[in-house]
Amino acid sequence: MKKLIALALVLGTGSAFADNHKHLVSVGTKGVGLDWTMQADDYKKSSGTKKEDSNDLNLSANYRYVMPNNVMFGAGLEYTNDSSKEKLVGGGSNKSSSTTQLINLNAGYNFGSDLSNAAFGLVRYTMGNINSKDKDAGQPSEKSKSRVSGFGLEVGKRFSLASWGLTNLTYAPSISYDMWSWGGDAKKDGGLKTTTVTALNIVKFDVLF
């Protein structure tokens, strides 16, 4: 979260933008972000697990072009890599990793001529792949490849931060709803058909220029 806020401050500081700004970069959920997490868990000996280490990396970017009639359209990318290693009490280890690569195409509308304080709505189509690999102690590796696609809706409101000297930056909280359909191994072997996600995106900023 600190990295997202720092990035937003860097992007948002600068000269005042004109009223006919055309470009928007979204910072935060469904926007530009860099998040890396490392976690280590210690277990009781009776559990059979000695220690588990995990690493999570998430990268995302989203850009939109704003037309004179307040309509906007753009595209976004998201990359996620998760890995974990479970060390067993009797020796050996279980390993798992997954990589997610998603792209979204989006379009929306700004409800007001003052974009830095306007409410907005978005619709997006997301598609991509999720590749997983599992290796249990003494067992051969198992790989799976799944596909995901679906539509999402998002509504929110921008609040100008110009009074704080951040002339290009707006605070833009939103509520989003996404529904994904699954294909590949997740559906064939795991029986997974759809996933729905409803999110309140509080840490979110829009940069207009």
Side-chain angles (χ1 to χ4, degrees):
M1 182 179 294
K2 292 181 179 179
K3 295 177 182 178
L4 286 175
I5 295 175
L7 178 60
L9 292 175
V10 171
L11 292 174
T13 305
S15 60
F17 52 81
D19 291 338
N20 61 345
H21 41 268
K22 299 180 180 180
H23 309 279
L24 185 153
V25 177
S26 189
V27 182
T29 305
K30 303 291 189 302
V32 173
L34 168 61
D35 181 40
W36 176 70
T37 304
M38 182 174 64
Q39 178 176 327
D41 298 318
D42 292 315
Y43 292 81
K44 294 181 178 180
K45 188 175 181 180
S46 58
S47 69
T49 300
K50 183 178 180 181
K51 185 177 182 181
E52 182 176 4
D53 298 313
S54 61
N55 288 276
D56 302 318
L57 174 66
N58 180 273
L59 298 170
S60 58
N62 204 350
Y63 167 82
R64 299 184 185 102
Y65 180 82
V66 183
M67 301 178 68
N69 59 359
N70 288 344
V71 173
M72 55 185 173
F73 60 90
L77 298 170
E78 183 174 351
Y79 172 85
T80 303
N81 182 270
D82 303 318
S83 63
S84 65
K85 182 178 181 180
E86 180 185 12
K87 297 180 180 179
L88 305 178
V89 174
S93 61
N94 299 330
K95 301 178 182 178
S96 65
S97 63
S98 66
T99 300
T100 302
Q101 296 173 311
L102 303 176
I103 182 172
N104 78 76
L105 304 175
N106 57 79
Y109 185 78
N110 299 285
F111 298 93
S113 57
D114 180 9
L115 298 186
S116 60
N117 288 289
F120 60 89
L122 287 168
V123 60
R124 58 176 163 265
Y125 176 73
T126 301
M127 55 187 172
N129 298 311
I130 301 175
N131 299 318
S132 302
K133 181 179 179 181
D134 297 304
K135 176 68 169 66
D136 292 338
Q139 301 294 325
S141 298
E142 295 183 2
K143 297 181 180 181
S144 65
K145 183 174 183 179
S146 303
R147 300 183 306 274
V148 65
S149 63
F151 288 92
L153 298 172
E154 184 175 351
V155 293
K157 173 75 167 64
R158 298 189 195 94
F159 300 89
S160 175
L161 299 180
S163 61
W164 293 11
L166 305 172
T167 53
N168 293 67
L169 184 65
T170 67
Y171 175 55
S174 67
I175 299 174
S176 60
Y177 173 84
D178 290 271
M179 182 173 181
W180 293 353
S181 296
W182 290 84
D185 293 331
K187 182 177 182 180
K188 180 181 178 181
D189 299 331
L192 184 59
K193 295 176 60 179
T194 60
T195 295
T196 58
V197 180
T198 302
L200 178 60
N201 310 309
I202 298 177
V203 182
K204 186 174 179 294
F205 299 88
D206 284 354
V207 181
L208 303 172
F209 59 96

